[in-house]
Amino acid sequence: MTEINRRDFIRFATVAGASLGFPQLALAANPKVVVVGGGVGGCTAAKYLRKLHPQTDVTLIETKKVYQSCFMSNEVLSGDRTLDSITFDYEGLKRHGVKVVIDRVDAIEPDKKQVVTQGGETFAYDACIVSPGVDFKWDAIEGYDEKVAEVVPHAWFAGPQTTTLRNQILAMPEGGKVIIVAPPNPYKCPPGPYERAAQIAMYCKHHKPKAKILILDPKDKFSKQGLFTQGWSKLYGFGTENSMIEWVGAAGGGTVEELDPSTMTLQAEIEEFQGDVINIIPPQKAGKVAFASDLVDGDWCPVNKLTFESSKHKDVYVLGDASSAAKMPKSAYAANSQAKVAAAAIVSRFNGIEPPDPTFVNTCYSILGEEHGISVAAVYTLDKSSNTILPIKGAGGLSPMNASDQQRKREVSYAHSWFANLIDDMMM
Amino acid sequence: MQREKMMKKKMPYLLLGLVVLFPATAAAAPSGQALAFTCAGCHGTDGSSVGPSSPSIAGMDPEVFIDAMQGYKFDERNSTIMNRIAKGYNDEQIKSMAWFFAKQTLRLKPQKHDAEMAKLGAKLHDEYCEKCHEDGGKPGDAGTLAGQWMPYLHYTMEDFVDGRRDYPRKMKRKVDAAIEAEGDRAIPAMIHYYGSQH
């Protein structure tokens, strides 16, 4: 920088900025925010509330002692990483001054502006953030329920079921068959089932080269389909007779209606399929606490997308997968982005000013092989008149088709950076 | 490159800063901070990446940041994902992000490096690079090298050398001279040197 000294300018800018700042309205000295749910949305909001407005008294309530990320959990299935490497405690949030309470919340009480935990503690709030993630619709596939899921895992929450599924793949016979039952839209992590197929194939290619992975899908198309198809072809022979991966969409009879766990047989629309390992990812809806707290309309929680305040209850904010945030996908990066918008809006409210104009990004990587990564990205703006988050035209999109091996390899290393930085930004 | 040079002339920094302070279009514009917050999932909180390969952008000179973003936006610079993301921002937004990141303190993490290579790299840096990348490559008038994530530096040099990124003549001359002196290990040595700083 040559025209003027940069550091002098920054000094000037900072001083001028401060004197132009909005007047701080006298509210309660330490406004109270209660965050229900310690996933990406809840953690990011808690951290950024403290960062933007350090006098905020933030309490985060979560049922589990540790956070296990769903993003990168498919890499545990291939053996490329351990479950430990995607397990994190909440000490980092505590260092930011967030009070972390391990307890269960059945429902919040918007009328009393309080949250009572199962352990009997009561937390009053000025603003409550509900970020419970997704829950399953257990009645969608006959014969499949929470109990059966212990042996026919969904592994759609990272944790014990991830280990179960990994061990079942390891124990499977040489020429065994893994069946993945993909869910209907909308669900969290749209490319997840297809990345999972690739990660399982990545393991089998080295250890059980005769194995097959069959995806049964109630949809006719899926996220990053062209890129997955190309990557599967290149790495796992997709489209050939010897393909390790096979995909059956809705038109081909991919919709699964019933499971018989005793024979490991799935009844799909047209025919039956038998597998050595079955992974059913059930249809999804907002987490339990959202239903119990009257925050849903249908399966998801409607919100004002300027602030992520619930359309149903004042001073309650719903973030992440549970919110109805079209056209953003239900992804970790989206939840992280939404949480910062909500945190800024809540702080504005404490300061008695209008919420700032929001901006959002989503970035999502999938790893198909040791050196084969692909991504999708979008930059979003809010169309206030329709309360819709719209992707900015001409920006974002998918990794190019036919990219060089070098580009695909770099995307794997950027995927690992995305994982590390997302975890760091939300809770460290 | 022509376009970038013209842009630099047209943008005296005082004016550039005033636009940020007194945004004429404030009515419907996310702040630099709000825009910059969306970068954290890959580039770290306030632009200090925890690695292993996406670069830190905290403390960057605003001019370098703007050049990079415009380069990505107009596909003049090779990238995997940044060209797609940069297209989502207008000139004002890029400027306001540039000023946000310029004000952030760069926090570095130790990286695994080869001490012998780093020693050679330090020597090469002093001889061939220090003139433009001052202070061992700390953020300044040129891009951040000191403490930058090594895979990112490696990709960047690959792109320069393989002709996927516009290689400034002066830089090419210097890098070629370093290779002339130390052979194929010249570039890796410099990368180990930058990676050794934290």
Side-chain angles (χ1 to χ4, degrees):
Chain A
M1 183 165 185
T2 46
E3 284 85 349
I4 65 162
N5 181 294
R6 182 170 61 95
R7 280 171 188 86
D8 281 351
F9 179 80
I10 290 169
R11 208 169 293 132
F12 158 66
T14 310
V15 171
S19 65
L20 284 168
F22 288 97
Q24 301 247 324
L25 296 188
L27 259 189
N30 301 97
K32 286 185 166 58
V33 179
V34 175
V35 182
V36 179
V40 181
C43 288
T44 307
K47 174 176 162 179
Y48 273 76
L49 275 165
R50 295 280 307 158
K51 182 174 162 64
L52 291 169
H53 200 64
Q55 58 269 52
T56 315
D57 181 332
V58 182
T59 304
L60 181 139
I61 309 171
E62 161 61 39
T63 54
K64 294 186 286 301
K65 283 198 180 83
V66 291
Y67 172 72
Q68 294 180 304
S69 70
C70 288
F71 47 114
M72 285 295 161
S73 68
N74 281 335
E75 282 208 319
V76 177
L77 300 177
S78 65
D80 223 40
R81 62 169 64 235
T82 61
L83 193 61
D84 262 3
S85 77
I86 57 168
T87 303
F88 305 92
D89 63 31
Y90 290 97
E91 294 306 310
L93 277 187
K94 291 179 191 167
R95 285 192 289 274
H96 287 281
V98 176
K99 294 168 188 156
V100 179
V101 175
I102 305 300
D103 203 339
R104 186 176 290 278
V105 174
D106 290 325
I108 66 161
E109 298 171 38
D111 300 339
K112 294 183 186 163
K113 291 185 78 165
Q114 69 179 28
V115 176
V116 182
T117 65
Q118 270 191 357
E121 275 193 277
T122 301
F123 298 92
Y125 66 77
D126 294 299
C128 181
I129 292 172
V130 180
S131 189
V134 300
D135 188 15
F136 295 128
K137 294 181 180 176
W138 287 108
D139 52 359
I141 294 171
E142 220 183 302
Y144 193 56
D145 59 28
E146 231 167 326
K147 186 88 187 119
V148 177
E150 286 170 24
V151 282
V152 178
H154 53 73
W156 211 236
F157 300 117
Q161 290 209 1
T162 312
T163 306
T164 304
L165 183 55
R166 162 84 180 147
N167 289 341
Q168 288 177 352
I169 295 163
L170 290 179
M172 173 176 84
E174 187 71 10
K177 182 186 265 186
V178 181
I179 303 178
I180 298 172
V181 178
N185 291 323
Y187 60 98
K188 81 161 160 179
C189 191
Y194 315 97
E195 183 199 48
R196 175 168 288 182
Q199 284 286 326
I200 295 171
M202 186 170 136
Y203 162 77
C204 291
K205 196 175 173 177
H206 297 302
H207 303 281
K208 298 178 200 277
K210 287 180 192 149
K212 300 279 178 200
I213 298 127
L214 169 67
I215 306 166
L216 296 176
D217 206 328
K219 307 183 289 296
D220 274 324
K221 53 182 187 179
F222 57 86
S223 171
K224 303 179 186 165
Q225 187 164 0
L227 288 167
F228 273 113
T229 305
Q230 192 171 68
W232 289 343
S233 304
K234 187 179 156 70
L235 301 166
Y236 310 113
F238 186 70
T240 67
E241 267 189 24
N242 287 326
S243 178
M244 190 171 255
I245 297 175
E246 192 190 343
W247 176 75
V248 179
T255 307
V256 170
E257 292 162 348
E258 193 180 339
L259 165 75
D260 180 352
S262 63
T263 58
M264 290 292 275
T265 306
L266 291 161
Q267 176 63 57
E269 230 168 42
I270 300 172
E271 55 195 309
E272 281 187 355
F273 296 92
Q274 208 262 330
D276 297 289
V277 176
I278 298 180
N279 166 221
I280 297 182
I281 307 162
Q284 292 157 37
K285 59 183 179 181
K288 285 190 187 69
V289 68
F291 279 85
S293 308
D294 181 37
L295 294 171
V296 295
D297 180 8
D299 288 337
W300 310 102
C301 304
V303 293
N304 173 358
K305 296 183 183 81
L306 181 62
T307 58
F308 278 75
E309 187 172 21
S310 164
S311 312
K312 303 196 73 174
H313 288 285
K314 204 175 161 302
D315 302 331
V316 179
Y317 298 75
V318 186
L319 303 178
D321 297 344
S323 70
S324 181
K327 302 182 168 180
M328 292 185 87
K330 299 187 184 303
S331 75
Y333 208 109
N336 175 267
S337 192
Q338 292 160 9
K340 293 167 192 175
V341 167
I346 290 167
V347 169
S348 298
R349 211 188 86 205
F350 292 157
N351 288 333
I353 60 173
E354 289 294 309
D357 282 320
T359 173
F360 307 91
V361 167
N362 179 54
T363 300
C364 162
Y365 285 93
S366 305
I367 301 176
L368 279 63
E370 287 92 343
E371 300 190 343
H372 194 108
I374 56 173
S375 61
V376 64
V379 181
Y380 301 89
T381 187
L382 174 64
D383 179 46
K384 287 182 193 170
S385 61
S386 66
N387 190 34
T388 308
I389 299 173
L390 296 174
I392 289 172
K393 287 202 178 86
L398 299 157
S399 304
M401 290 289 282
N402 308 312
S404 67
D405 291 350
Q406 187 185 49
Q407 292 287 89
R408 295 281 190 251
K409 190 177 170 182
R410 285 186 189 182
E411 290 226 86
V412 172
S413 111
Y414 286 132
H416 291 147
S417 285
W418 161 88
F419 170 71
N421 280 292
L422 204 45
I423 292 288
D424 194 77
D425 189 50
M426 72 182 257
M427 64 194 310
M428 300 293 169
Chain B
M1 276 295 117
Q2 200 56 37
R3 182 188 52 72
E4 288 183 22
K5 271 180 204 137
M6 279 174 57
M7 195 182 68
K8 277 174 213 165
K9 273 187 201 149
K10 283 184 193 161
M11 253 195 279
Y13 284 95
L14 190 63
L15 212 95
L16 189 155
L18 289 175
V19 171
V20 178
L21 284 177
F22 309 100
T25 53
S31 66
Q33 185 189 58
L35 292 161
F37 278 178
T38 67
C39 310
C42 294
H43 292 284
T45 305
D46 297 334
S48 286
S49 168
V50 298
S53 50
S54 52
S56 287
I57 53 178
M60 253 176 113
D61 185 284
E63 182 186 341
V64 177
F65 182 95
I66 291 166
D67 275 1
M69 285 291 278
Q70 297 289 355
Y72 289 129
K73 185 171 170 177
F74 293 100
D75 294 313
E76 289 166 1
R77 191 180 277 205
N78 187 49
S79 78
T80 53
I81 198 169
M82 269 315 297
N83 56 342
R84 288 176 264 157
I85 292 173
K87 288 180 180 69
Y89 303 101
N90 63 32
D91 291 353
E92 291 306 313
Q93 291 172 326
I94 290 173
K95 275 182 238 166
S96 62
M97 280 188 264
W99 281 100
F100 177 87
F101 285 116
K103 289 180 217 170
Q104 307 308 312
T105 306
L106 176 61
R107 287 171 289 121
L108 296 175
K109 298 196 90 171
Q111 295 182 71
K112 246 171 98 173
H113 63 274
D114 181 311
E116 278 302 306
M117 286 285 271
K119 207 174 141 192
L120 172 63
K123 197 186 88 176
L124 292 172
H125 172 87
D126 280 344
E127 196 169 340
Y128 301 103
C129 315
E130 174 67 23
K131 213 166 154 191
C132 294
H133 295 278
E134 294 166 0
D135 280 342
K138 288 202 174 63
D141 292 349
T144 305
L145 303 182
Q148 189 57 280
W149 290 98
M150 289 158 69
Y152 173 73
L153 293 175
H154 172 70
Y155 301 155
T156 304
M157 287 311 296
E158 260 182 353
D159 286 349
F160 277 129
V161 171
D162 297 346
R164 277 185 304 269
R165 179 166 163 184
D166 198 15
Y167 205 168
R169 276 189 58 209
K170 197 168 148 198
M171 177 175 168
K172 184 179 185 320
R173 224 170 49 229
K174 296 285 189 182
V175 175
D176 285 348
I179 294 171
E180 180 81 33
E182 292 295 340
D184 284 348
R185 60 185 190 149
I187 291 175
M190 290 187 274
I191 292 172
H192 278 273
Y193 165 59
Y194 300 129
S196 73
Q197 292 166 276
H198 65 86

